[in-house]
Structure formats: C-alpha cells, structure tokens
Amino acid sequence: MSKKEDIIKTALDLFNIYTYGSVGVDRIILESGVAKMTFYKYFPSKEKLIEACLERRNENIQAAIMETLAQEKEDDYLGKIKAIYLWYLEWFKSEDFNGCMFQKATVEILKQYPSVTRPIEQYRQWLSQLSEELFKKVNVSEPHILASMFINILDGMTVYAKMSQDYPQIEQSWSYIERLVLMDQHNSDSILPEAS
C-alpha cells in the first residue's frame, strides 16, 4: 500500500470513529506512520484530505452495493431494491458502523470546508439515480417520488441505528416499502386503458 493510501485509510478509520473536528492532522500523520512532508505533499490541507476520504467512502459504498445487486436475479428489480435496503441493515449491524460519514460531514464541517459538498452530492446523486432506475423498472407511476422516499427512509434508518440497536423495528420498514410499491403497481394497472 502506498503512503497516500496509508493516510487515507488511517484518516477514514479515525473520521468514522470520531468527529471530523476532534481528529487533527498530527494524529493522522502519527497513526499512518508517514513523515509530515509526505502528508502535505499529498494533502496540502485537512479539507483536501476529508474530500479524498469521502470520495473513497463513496467508491467503497458503490462497489459494495453493486456487488450485492449482481447477486440478484437480473430482472428481479424489487429484489434489487430490497437488496440495497438489506445492505444498509447489515452495515448497521457491523462492528465499524458509527453512522454515515456523509451525514456527519454535512452536520459538522460543511460550512468550514465547503469543498466536501462535491463528494457528498456525488454519493447522493448516485444513490438517487440507482434507486429511481430500479423503481422505474418495477413499473410504478412516480418512480422519482418513491426513490426519494426510499432514500429518506435509508437516511432515517441510519440516524436511528446510530442511536439505537433496535434492528427488528428497522427491519419492519421494508414491508411498508414493499406494500407501497405493490399498491402503486396495482393502481397503475387499474387505470391502464383497455385493449380495443
């Protein structure tokens, strides 16, 4: 692993566990085992480092979710939506879950480090486009609205999971999402014009 990778991995681990403000550059340099000059060669500021960390986090999440989706049947689009939901649920139960790094960045440092807006928006746009495309394929009338609701539910679940480990209650949300989809499909079918 390169020195740059060492820095990013160390910073990601620390930012995940602690707040962005409480982790200083000196600690990241010490724990990554690089020289100060090496650190500043790659990251001239803490803002640039956080930006790189969020970009990497985005890449990691995308790769993990796409790998999960690849295991579903090609034409089972509702199954793929559920797979995304279950991926988040498994993440909540993992040892390294300490909340969403994008949510944390939005709350803690967005005003101080405005450039981190870009990787946050990239993550949101990717998840939004993926979700909307899947909802289109399950043939609902307003896929963009259901996709938006789905993402809001994932966001809320993430916050709730950080505060509580009441996973059965979180798991129950899927049945309501599924019911919404099936109701929408039924209503869409019922208003289709009859074949002449």
Side-chain angles (χ1 to χ4, degrees), residues 10-20 23 57 91 95-101 104 162:
T10 301
L12 265 173
D13 290 343
L14 290 170
F15 290 144
N16 179 44
I17 297 168
Y18 307 104
T19 64
Y20 289 98
V23 178
R57 182 67 184 140
W91 172 45
E95 286 184 9
D96 70 338
F97 175 70
N98 290 286
C100 172
M101 293 188 71
K104 278 172 68 173
K162 177 77 171 71

Side-chain angles (χ1 to χ4, degrees), residues 78-95:
L78 186 57
K80 287 176 186 274
I81 295 166
K82 184 176 183 179
I84 295 172
Y85 180 92
L86 293 177
W87 182 88
Y88 276 85
L89 192 59
E90 287 307 305
W91 172 45
F92 301 156
K93 296 176 182 178
S94 67
E95 286 184 9

